[in-house]
């Protein structure tokens, strides 16, 4: 079994979006006390850790990913005492606590940015990325912002542009300045000393920019010109993924190594080299894990899952991935993959059985254990700037961020006593509340079964993984020496041959007969090899 220091290796983390988990004070916004109240539910699943999306002081232009105080708790979430109580309760339940760290950019309300923009010669003048305009007054280069428009914002006081990869209210730190690195590492030390067990590092490959501010070339992939946002029409060769990033990541790792049993998982977002970058960022004394975007899209084929996992371990044999199917930035996976299913519950269970059998660490997103799909929102209900800017071609991220549902018949499905919540709770989501899923065939009960199986079978946590050559739509692989995992990734019946005698541990819609296995739509089996 794994040593305590390496608890993260093969672990399962449950992502909590604090605004939407549980509201304890009736203001319509989830908070830390609410999370603490509901931690027993998370512990009952059998996960190892929780990950909290940002809880720091923020103007909330990007729902907390615009930080104005890295060592303060935003009043909408509670107090530092509430955070300490959450840590104590989580640790008492055997749950590690991982918090988001947003080190690539801050809020334009951060005191250091306010000072930086006041003049070109103040002590914080070069703590953010400033550049002169071109002679015609246009931005320094062609870099685009992810949320739309140029990646540069004009500031009349300094008569310069500042860089923002996201909203204009999220200026980029200048990490080429060692003082900035020291400051950000100091804020991380604050939380480590407070008892957190690790960090999820937001946009970890965005920390550094090209010092020469060279233009990004056009996106060479065929879908580039059809993208709904200009950002995706570029190959971001110079605005991110710079070599200096790796040296700073090593400084982060050195800091965590001063403490016992702490971990890092970095969000590596890239449309061109994501697997290669994941390998770079988790090799040597860098990150412990890299969080993958590779399974957060519409592709649901055996070849896709196999290629992503095989490529990672081929390119990064000493690295370690963290796989996920859903999070707060993408449509929930049951809805994304519903065209590949006849029944959403069968799909939800199959997805859990597949994800939780992969080699690597795993991240689950709140509500996926209920089989939730996105909430259908109208334009006037949106809060997400990405959705507001790109509506209706892209509806943004609010659909997957609506509140967690606890009691189907309660006000706001038990999330809040407020008359109105920050995002609405609607009937289709309330119908899948926790209290409706006590039956043995529920999605929630299946998650508990699958997580218990992962904990009890060392091969599912630590074992090797080898894919089987099977006809489409069957995905198959072995874990360790003793387990076989087979999945029908289609809404139709399917079958395959087997040379093994199998003793099922967990299955759905599968008939074993001689040397053939018959699968119902979205059928699967996780089985132990036995002597013939």
């Amino acid at each position: 079994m794994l040593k305590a220091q390496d608890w993260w290796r093969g672990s399962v983390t449950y992502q909590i979006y604090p605004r939407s988990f549980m509201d304890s004070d009736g203001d319509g916004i989830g908070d830390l006390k609410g999370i603490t109240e509901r931690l027993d539910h998370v512990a009952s699943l059998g996960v190892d850790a929780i990950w909290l999306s940002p809880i720091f002081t923020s103007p909330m232009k990007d729902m907390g990913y615009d930080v104005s105080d890295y060592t303060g708790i935003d009043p909408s979430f509670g107090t530092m005492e509430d955070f300490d109580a959450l840590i104590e309760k989580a640790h008492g339940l055997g749950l590690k606590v991982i918090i988001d760290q947003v080190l690539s950019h801050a809020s334009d309300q951060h005191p250091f940015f306010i000072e930086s923009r006041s003049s070109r010669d103040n002590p914080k003048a070069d703590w953010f990325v400033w550049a002169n305009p071109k002679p015609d007054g246009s931005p320094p280069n062609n870099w685009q912002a992810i949320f739309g428009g140029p990646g540069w914002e004009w500031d009349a006081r300094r008569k310069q542009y500042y860089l923002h990869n996201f909203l204009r209210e999220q200026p980029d730190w200048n990490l080429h300045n060692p003082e900035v690195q020291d400051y950000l590492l100091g804020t991380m030390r604050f939380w480590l000393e407070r008892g957190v067990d690790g960090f999820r590092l937001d946009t970890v490959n965005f920390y550094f920019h090209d010092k020469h501010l060279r233009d990004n070339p056009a996106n060479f992939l065929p879908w580039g010109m059809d993208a709904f946002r200009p950002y995706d029409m570029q190959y971001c060769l110079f605005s991110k993924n710079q070599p200096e990033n790796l040296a700073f990541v090593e400084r982060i790792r050195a800091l965590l190594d001063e403490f016992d049993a702490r971990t890092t998982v970095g969000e590596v977002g890239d449309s061109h080299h994501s697997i290669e970058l994941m390998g770079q960022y988790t090799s040597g004394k860098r990150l412990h894990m890299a969080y993958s975007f590779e399974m957060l899209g519409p592709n649901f084929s055996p070849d896709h899952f196999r290629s992503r996992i095989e490529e990672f371990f081929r390119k990064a044999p000493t690295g370690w991935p963290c796989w996920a199917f859903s999070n707060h930035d993408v449509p929930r996976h049951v809805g994304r993959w519903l065209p590949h299913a006849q029944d959403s519950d069968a799909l939800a269970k199959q997805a859990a059985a597949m994800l939780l059998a992969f080699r690597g660490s795993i991240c689950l997103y709140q509500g996926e254990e209920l089989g939730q799909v996105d909430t259908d929102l109208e334009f006037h209900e949106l809060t997400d700037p990405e959705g507001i800017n790109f509506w209706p071609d892209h509806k943004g991220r609010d659909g997957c961020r609506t509140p967690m549902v606890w009691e189907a018949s309660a006000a706001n499905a038990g999330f809040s006593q407020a008359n109105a919540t920050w995002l609405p709770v609607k009937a289709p989501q309330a119908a899948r509340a926790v209290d409706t899923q006590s039956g043995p065939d529920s999605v929630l009960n299946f998650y508990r079964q699958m997580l218990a199986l992962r904990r009890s079978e060392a091969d599912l946590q630590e074992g090797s993984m080898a894919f089987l050559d099977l006809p489409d739509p069957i995905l198959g692989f072995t874990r360790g020496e003793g387990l076989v995992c087979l999945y029908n990734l289609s809404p139709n019946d399917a079958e395959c041959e087997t040379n093994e005698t199998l003793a099922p541990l967990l299955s759905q819609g599968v008939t074993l007969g001689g040397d053939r296995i018959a699968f119902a739509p979205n059928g699967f089996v996780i089985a132990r090899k036995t002597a013939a």
Side-chain angles (χ1 to χ4, degrees):
M1 298 298 291
L2 294 173
K3 297 178 181 178
Q5 188 74 13
D6 296 326
W7 66 266
W8 52 270
R9 196 173 181 88
S11 64
V12 179
T13 296
Y14 183 93
Q15 181 192 356
I16 291 176
Y17 195 70
R19 294 179 69 84
S20 292
F21 199 63
M22 181 66 196
D23 170 23
S24 71
D25 59 9
D27 66 354
I29 298 172
D31 48 48
L32 295 175
K33 284 185 177 179
I35 294 171
T36 303
E37 289 175 15
R38 296 291 190 175
L39 278 181
D40 292 282
H41 165 77
V42 180
S44 77
L45 297 174
V47 300
D48 303 290
I50 59 171
W51 149 29
L52 302 179
S53 290
I55 53 174
F56 314 116
T57 312
S58 168
M60 298 293 167
K61 296 293 186 180
D62 189 24
M63 297 306 162
Y65 286 90
D66 50 320
V67 180
S68 58
D69 180 359
Y70 281 84
T71 57
I73 300 292
D74 192 85
S76 65
F77 296 133
T79 65
M80 191 65 74
E81 290 73 25
D82 296 334
F83 180 78
D84 292 340
L86 187 156
I87 290 274
E88 183 178 4
K89 175 74 176 287
H91 287 169
L93 292 170
L95 295 169
K96 305 287 188 181
V97 179
I98 295 170
I99 62 172
D100 237 313
Q101 285 287 292
V102 190
L103 305 183
S104 66
H105 53 269
S107 164
D108 63 355
Q109 300 305 304
H110 193 289
F112 293 169
F113 183 72
I114 293 172
E115 182 177 359
S116 184
R117 76 189 313 180
S118 67
S119 71
R120 295 193 186 191
D121 57 3
N122 65 78
K124 299 293 188 292
D126 65 344
W127 277 48
F128 294 84
V129 183
W130 294 95
N132 292 324
K134 291 181 178 179
D136 63 359
S138 60
N141 59 28
N142 71 345
W143 297 352
Q144 296 290 305
I146 288 177
F147 292 151
W152 298 94
E153 182 72 10
W154 176 252
D155 186 90
R157 279 157 287 191
R158 286 188 51 145
K159 296 183 175 62
Q160 287 182 307
Y161 285 94
Y162 67 84
L163 178 66
H164 60 94
N165 274 296
F166 297 89
L167 294 175
R168 65 182 181 183
E169 293 90 354
Q170 294 172 294
D172 275 42
W173 291 103
N174 177 22
L175 275 98
H176 289 289
N177 182 339
E179 291 181 342
V180 174
Q181 295 185 33
D182 293 343
Y183 162 70
L184 293 172
L185 290 171
T187 67
M188 296 176 74
R189 182 181 294 278
F190 172 88
W191 294 106
L192 290 167
E193 292 174 346
R194 202 104 201 166
V196 304
D197 300 288
F199 301 105
R200 181 264 190 184
L201 299 169
D202 184 66
T203 58
V204 72
N205 53 320
F206 282 73
Y207 292 166
F208 283 81
H209 64 285
D210 172 48
K211 278 186 172 182
H212 303 291
L213 302 182
R214 288 171 282 188
D215 282 347
N216 283 329
N219 186 350
F220 57 82
L221 296 176
W223 52 264
M225 287 308 297
D226 292 327
F228 68 85
R229 58 186 181 184
Y231 178 87
D232 294 314
M233 299 177 187
Q234 293 187 354
Y235 174 34
C236 296
L237 187 61
F238 297 113
S239 55
K240 63 179 182 179
N241 301 336
Q242 300 305 292
E244 295 94 335
N245 239 35
L246 297 175
F248 181 57
V249 166
E250 289 170 358
R251 291 196 68 191
I252 293 174
R253 177 60 178 269
L255 169 62
L256 267 78
D257 285 349
E258 295 180 27
F259 298 81
D260 290 334
R262 311 300 170 95
T263 195
T264 51
V265 53
E267 177 196 35
V268 180
D270 191 76
S271 299
H272 297 79
H273 308 291
S274 59
I275 293 290
E276 182 179 353
L277 289 167
M278 286 173 65
Q280 290 178 7
Y281 279 69
T282 59
S283 297
K285 297 294 283 185
R286 293 170 183 164
L287 302 179
H288 299 86
M289 303 174 277
Y291 184 90
S292 174
F293 282 69
E294 294 297 292
M295 299 175 188
L296 299 178
N299 202 322
F300 189 72
S301 68
D303 179 67
H304 177 71
F305 293 114
R306 176 175 183 169
S307 68
R308 299 302 80 200
I309 294 171
E310 285 188 331
E311 185 176 350
F312 179 88
F313 287 106
R314 182 175 67 252
K315 290 185 174 179
T318 62
W320 196 250
C322 182
W323 307 112
F325 285 169
S326 287
N327 69 20
H328 64 293
D329 282 336
V330 300
R332 290 181 176 275
H333 65 265
V334 173
R336 287 201 318 267
W337 294 335
L338 204 53
H340 303 276
Q342 288 187 11
D343 177 78
S344 65
D345 277 11
L347 175 62
K349 294 174 187 178
Q350 182 188 57
M354 185 165 57
L355 177 64
L356 290 164
F358 286 165
R359 184 173 184 234
S361 296
I362 305 300
C363 193
L364 307 177
Y365 178 49
Q366 66 179 51
E368 74 174 74
E369 77 273 24
L370 308 177
Q372 288 286 16
V373 297
D374 276 23
T375 304
D376 189 16
L377 298 173
E378 299 178 22
F379 181 76
H380 69 88
E381 295 172 316
L382 298 185
T383 67
D384 179 24
E386 186 174 31
I388 293 169
N389 289 344
F390 293 112
W391 181 277
D393 296 312
H394 179 68
K395 296 183 178 181
R397 302 164 294 178
D398 284 330
C400 69
R401 296 177 174 183
T402 54
M404 185 75 173
V405 289
W406 301 100
E407 295 98 25
S409 61
N412 300 307
F415 164 70
S416 173
Q417 294 298 314
N419 291 327
T421 55
W422 81 280
L423 286 174
V425 178
K426 298 194 176 184
Q429 283 64 47
R432 288 189 166 274
V434 172
D435 72 344
T436 70
Q437 301 210 26
S438 58
D441 295 328
S442 69
V443 174
L444 176 57
N445 188 58
F446 181 82
Y447 266 78
R448 289 172 174 151
Q449 288 180 289
M450 185 61 209
L451 283 158
L453 181 63
R454 185 178 174 96
R455 288 196 311 276
S456 66
E457 294 287 337
D459 280 342
L460 288 178
Q461 299 177 58
E462 307 168 47
S464 60
M465 185 175 187
F467 284 89
L468 304 172
D469 294 324
L470 296 172
D472 193 74
I474 307 298
L475 173 70
F477 52 85
T478 60
R479 291 300 313 271
E481 298 298 320
L483 298 183
V484 176
C485 306
L486 303 168
Y487 309 85
N488 171 21
L489 303 188
S490 85
N492 306 307
D493 294 336
E495 63 176 34
C496 70
E497 296 181 357
T498 178
N499 297 321
E500 304 283 354
T501 302
L502 301 178
L505 300 174
L506 199 57
S507 65
Q508 170 180 273
V510 167
T511 303
L512 302 178
D515 61 353
R516 303 198 70 78
I517 303 177
F519 297 87
N522 301 113
F524 63 86
V525 61
I526 299 173
R528 182 175 287 115
K529 299 177 188 178
T530 64

